[in-house]
Amino acid sequence: MRIILLGPPGAGKGTQAANIVDSYKIPHISTGDIFRKNIKEGTELGKKAQEYINNGQLVPDELTCGLVASRLSEEDCKDGFMLDGFPRNIFQAEYLDKYLSENGIGLDKVVNIEVDPKLLVERACGRRICKTCGATFHVKFNPSKQEGVCDVCSNALTQRPDDNEETVSNRINVYLSETKPLVSYYTEKGIIADIDGAQDINKVFEDIKAALA
Ligand code: AP5
Ligand code: MG
Ligand code: ZN
């Protein structure tokens, strides 16, 4: 199964990705996670990407596209993958199409998680993530059992530096102008599944499973 998860910042892509990879046994490829790992490790890519991410802007295509192509060419992606946060503009979508057709493969589904922008700031600003294992929580909507402590690995929870009101607003604007046009792009290809992401986390996953069945 080859899937794209599409949706605005805070829509629940990462949350649902964790459920999907568990059920479908495909690798989860999040460009945001790859950039954050590079920032943490202080690589050249991380240094170049950091300022864009902290401002809520897209990292330039020339840094992003090659990275995804090389990840997709790894052995574990042979039978399927789930892209989360890529493509994010028309250029990236066309780049991906070209990569897939050159490799004789195609996409099965684009899962489009729709959430009213009004809900997104609270979602992002209340998010807490585990630095160690990557698990995601929300102080109100999906709290960890013990405040500030990861349920999965017991390490400390933290906030992403781009999860403040100002940067989240920028990210939403970038989504509306650059990424949302992909909804029409994939609707025209007939492979999109629109999912109501304002429902509770389990119900969203039920709808995604039904769309992928
Ligand atoms: P990225 O890491 O992809 O961030 P994003 O797209 O802004 O999305 P988020 O990770 O913020 O949200 P999510 O949809 O995963 O939500 P989550 O499940 O965590 O990208 C970060 C940056 O990297 C970009 O701004 C850009 O700079 C750069 N970048 C990445 N990819 C790029 C690309 N292709 N090109 C160029 N630049 C790129 O949920 C959010 C919160 O809500 C959590 O707390 C969760 O618990 C809660 N929640 C989830 N679902 C529900 C629900 N149904 N009800 C209530 N609460 C919920
Ligand atoms: Mg995410
Ligand atoms: Zn953890």
Side-chain angles (χ1 to χ4, degrees):
M1 182 103 68
R2 298 184 181 89
I3 311 169
I4 290 175
L5 275 182
L6 197 62
K13 300 182 296 293
T15 301
Q16 297 302 332
N19 291 331
I20 295 168
V21 294
D22 246 20
S23 297
Y24 294 88
K25 311 291 175 216
I26 47 176
H28 173 203
I29 302 171
S30 157
T31 39
D33 287 349
I34 295 172
F35 289 134
R36 281 185 288 276
K37 182 167 182 280
N38 276 274
I39 291 170
K40 194 172 152 194
E41 291 170 355
T43 67
E44 275 312 304
L45 173 66
K47 285 179 196 148
K48 288 179 187 156
Q50 185 159 28
E51 199 179 324
Y52 296 100
I53 292 180
N54 288 348
N55 291 325
Q57 301 300 320
L58 294 186
V59 176
D61 293 332
E62 57 269 30
L63 295 178
T64 308
C65 290
L67 176 99
V68 173
S70 104
R71 179 67 187 87
L72 291 180
S73 68
E74 285 176 36
E75 184 64 20
D76 63 334
C77 295
K78 204 163 50 68
D79 298 322
F81 52 77
M82 186 185 48
L83 285 168
D84 160 3
F86 184 94
R88 241 176 163 97
N89 59 27
I90 296 286
F91 180 88
Q92 293 181 6
E94 288 174 349
Y95 178 93
L96 178 65
D97 278 347
K98 189 161 168 277
Y99 174 88
L100 295 173
S101 76
E102 281 171 4
N103 286 279
I105 50 181
L107 293 167
D108 294 297
K109 212 53 142 190
V110 175
V111 174
N112 176 36
I113 306 180
E114 299 181 297
V115 178
D116 190 315
K118 287 198 286 270
L119 300 175
L120 298 172
V121 175
E122 187 183 14
R123 287 241 188 133
C125 294
R127 169 168 46 197
R128 297 293 181 272
I129 55 164
C130 175
K131 270 196 252 182
T132 312
C133 77
T136 299
F137 302 89
H138 191 283
V139 289
K140 184 168 156 192
F141 304 125
N142 185 24
S144 56
K145 290 194 186 81
Q146 191 187 335
E147 197 187 319
V149 179
C150 178
D151 287 356
V152 182
C153 72
S154 301
N155 281 296
L157 298 180
T158 175
Q159 262 189 295
R160 265 170 50 177
D162 59 344
D163 277 349
N164 59 76
E165 253 187 82
E166 191 191 341
T167 311
V168 174
S169 304
N170 289 343
R171 285 158 55 199
I172 294 169
N173 288 333
V174 168
Y175 167 81
L176 293 172
S177 61
E178 304 261 333
T179 310
K180 207 174 173 199
L182 297 181
V183 175
S184 312
Y185 182 88
Y186 288 116
T187 302
E188 277 162 29
K189 291 182 184 290
I191 51 170
I192 206 152
D194 293 320
I195 304 291
D196 175 6
Q199 312 173 90
D200 82 49
I201 292 173
N202 295 326
K203 180 66 175 72
V204 174
F205 184 49
E206 288 304 314
D207 287 2
I208 292 175
K209 273 194 294 192
L212 294 177

